[in-house]
Amino acid sequence: MIMQLFAFGALIALAGGHVLPTRDAERRMHPLFEGAAIHQGARRFKRGYMPEMTFASQRVEQYADYWRSLASQTLEQQLESKMRLNTQLAKNTILFLGDGMSIPTITAGRVYLGGEEKQFAFEQFPYVGLSKTYCANMQVADSACTATAYLGGVKANYGTVGVTAAVRLKDCQAQAQPENHVASIAAWAQRQGMSTGLITTTSVSHASPAGVYAHVANRDWENDADVKADDADPTVCTDIASQLINGEVGRNLNVILGGGSQNFLPEHVRDPSGVFGKRKDGRNLIEEWQRQHTNSAHYVHTRRQLLELNNQTSRVLGLFAPYHMPYHLDADAAEQPTLEEMVQAALGILERQSAGRGYFLFVEGGRIDHGHHDTLALRAIDETAEFDKSVRWARTHSSVDDTLIVVTSDHSHTMSLAGYSSRKNDIFGINDGQLAADDLPYATLSYANGPGYNSNYLKEDGGTVKRKNLRSINMKNKDFMFPTAVPLASETHGGDDVAVFASGPYAHLFTGVFEQHFIPHAMAYASCLSGARSMCSDTSITRLWSS
């Protein structure tokens, strides 16, 4: 290996600092895997103890006619879905947000579903685009500034929610200025008399759902104690939980489902799970919500309570965990509803309460992001599969004629799929195509940075660093942290574009490459909430734009 590196360096020197293209270089970059015997003794592509690769797929795929038939079928589907544009009024709009659902996450998720050829429900939508996710002041975004973009239509600063870029992180005085506030598409919908709601697997006061209703200079100001911890005045800078209960948009939401009960309770009061609240102002915001609304409004904290809501329910506040809801792999099915079940309950309420005026619903699969931050790839991808179930249910239980569904992500992550594994190789296992230059296998999934560094490296006597042998590690353990190149306490977001999938009225607007803040403007246009369409009507609805 040392001689190879020396030779490679000599090539660079001879080329005056440029790498000369050679056949050896080409073969190094694009190895061919035709069976273990070919590579015995060839160190660059050494398979060593790796099993011979197999074509783990249907025999029919070996025939060209199979692929031609599949292409013909896809062509027919494309022509059928795109020959006629759906320009009817989007009476209802649902925005599904897979937090941190990067394109590699989707790709790995297909293998998790059963194979590379599989598709998520949202991948079957006829229109797909790419969204550019940067903040007003950062190349790589967080979930706060992005929420302002895809819900409010304005790019904002990192860490801020529902305010313009005139508000810097932790700027309490700027937060308090109404002219700096950004209204979300939920606010636009409420002005038209539509019913509205939000669902998340995180705390309902977390960054993404906060974009629906809040205006805050720091995404971490979820309760008044958080505001005080930054030496800010909570009477001037209202915390996020308070804005949800008493703010103009928050108090008019018909559906609020997720976690985060501790942000709504005083520090001397326990939530149903026995966890004390966080609030220092002594306010019980759950009781305040109950006093605001009629007897047809219900507070629930278990799955059974949610599923047993009667048909007269006009509003629901459901808080199923002290902070974030558990990962699907850890959840108690008797206590926590699935994301799909929350969507089912919400759409029933929104349909009834809209009285024909339509609804807007925001749904977040929030823990995809958390799995990636801890380099827990199995959890992140399982959360993606659960997220997709809720999309599938919503699409199959709504009409493409009058309901626009948009599925996207706020930002990406640094997870990648690498190597030349055979078809249907375990996505959570080792690459079965080759050994690395140190004669050890490597993981198909890995991260550029994060806490999984120690999963991949060990220090031996004398201080030398060597990669661990992943064959001796149970990588399918849901708590296994996948390898990273750079050690960090938390893996970072990625700056690459994310996909946007759309189905229903005006779904064709979500094609091409566009800025993330375009998304709510396109949804508003489809729903006749936009000034670009001064008046829209169908058989039962006439909506005039009001700013």
Side-chain angles (χ1 to χ4, degrees), residues 331-345:
D332 181 347
E335 293 298 318
Q336 285 95 22
T338 65
L339 187 60
E340 180 182 16
E341 289 171 336
M342 290 193 284
V343 169
Q344 293 172 4

Side-chain angles (χ1 to χ4, degrees), residues 113-327:
L113 292 180
E116 294 80 0
E117 72 284 357
K118 299 295 185 181
Q119 279 189 311
F120 287 111
F122 56 78
E123 291 186 277
Q124 298 169 31
F125 286 6
Y127 296 99
V128 184
L130 290 175
S131 165
K132 297 192 287 184
T133 62
Y134 63 90
C135 299
N137 65 340
M138 298 282 277
Q139 284 184 338
V140 178
D142 77 325
S143 294
C145 73
T146 52
T148 310
Y150 63 74
L151 286 165
V154 172
K155 291 247 181 184
N157 290 328
Y158 187 96
T160 67
V161 182
V163 291
T164 70
V167 179
R168 295 186 179 277
L169 184 65
K170 300 185 182 182
D171 189 341
C172 179
Q173 296 303 317
Q175 172 186 321
Q177 302 302 313
E179 62 268 26
N180 293 333
H181 293 181
V182 173
S184 75
I185 189 172
W188 309 343
Q190 288 180 359
R191 292 170 189 167
Q192 301 295 345
M194 299 167 68
S195 55
T196 53
L198 69 84
I199 301 171
T200 180
T201 53
T202 67
S203 166
V204 295
S205 54
H206 208 232
S208 301
V212 172
Y213 59 85
H215 313 285
V216 64
N218 186 350
R219 58 176 287 175
D220 291 338
W221 290 349
E222 296 188 57
N223 57 65
D224 67 310
D226 295 332
V227 180
K228 290 180 177 179
D230 277 336
D231 296 323
D233 185 348
T235 64
V236 175
C237 302
T238 308
D239 63 87
I240 298 173
S242 293
Q243 292 188 47
L244 177 54
I245 300 305
N246 296 299
E248 180 180 358
V249 175
R251 68 170 177 264
N252 287 310
L253 290 170
N254 297 89
V255 174
I256 305 167
L257 299 175
S261 57
Q262 64 183 8
N263 292 315
F264 296 82
L265 297 172
E267 54 188 357
H268 63 276
V269 174
R270 297 178 187 268
D271 80 344
S273 68
V275 176
F276 281 109
K278 294 286 189 180
R279 304 196 65 83
K280 293 187 175 296
D281 55 11
R283 295 170 62 191
N284 186 320
L285 297 180
I286 296 173
E287 292 181 352
E288 289 185 21
W289 182 87
Q290 290 173 311
R291 288 194 294 269
Q292 285 176 9
H293 303 295
T294 66
N295 292 334
S296 62
H298 298 284
Y299 167 65
V300 297
H301 58 82
T302 68
R303 174 178 179 267
R304 172 175 289 184
Q305 291 173 342
L306 177 68
L307 299 184
E308 292 180 351
L309 287 173
N310 62 55
N311 290 336
Q312 304 304 312
T313 302
S314 62
R315 299 179 191 277
V316 61
L317 170 63
L319 302 176
F320 305 104
Y323 197 40
H324 302 317
M325 293 180 67
Y327 286 107

Side-chain angles (χ1 to χ4, degrees), residues 82-104:
K82 295 178 174 64
M83 288 298 287
R84 290 184 300 162
L85 299 181
N86 182 350
T87 57
Q88 299 186 74
L89 174 71
K91 184 174 71 172
N92 313 308
T93 302
I94 309 174
L95 176 59
F96 282 92
L97 191 283
D99 196 313
M101 188 178 70
S102 61
I103 292 175

Side-chain angles (χ1 to χ4, degrees), residues 450-458 468 473 480-484 487:
Y453 183 85
N454 289 331
S455 298
N456 208 29
Y457 295 98
L458 56 83
K468 294 180 180 178
I473 297 174
F480 173 71
M481 290 183 174
F482 277 71
T484 72

Side-chain angles (χ1 to χ4, degrees), residues 483-501:
T484 72
V486 176
L488 284 179
S490 177
E491 180 262 359
T492 70
H493 296 165
D496 37 312
D497 297 349
V498 296
V500 183
F501 307 87

Side-chain angles (χ1 to χ4, degrees), residues 45-66:
F45 314 133
K46 186 173 181 180
R47 296 184 59 82
Y49 298 105
M50 306 298 287
E52 184 169 353
M53 295 176 68
T54 58
F55 187 74
S57 188
Q58 300 179 39
R59 184 176 179 83
V60 69
E61 291 187 359
Q62 299 178 24
Y63 301 99
D65 284 348
Y66 167 80

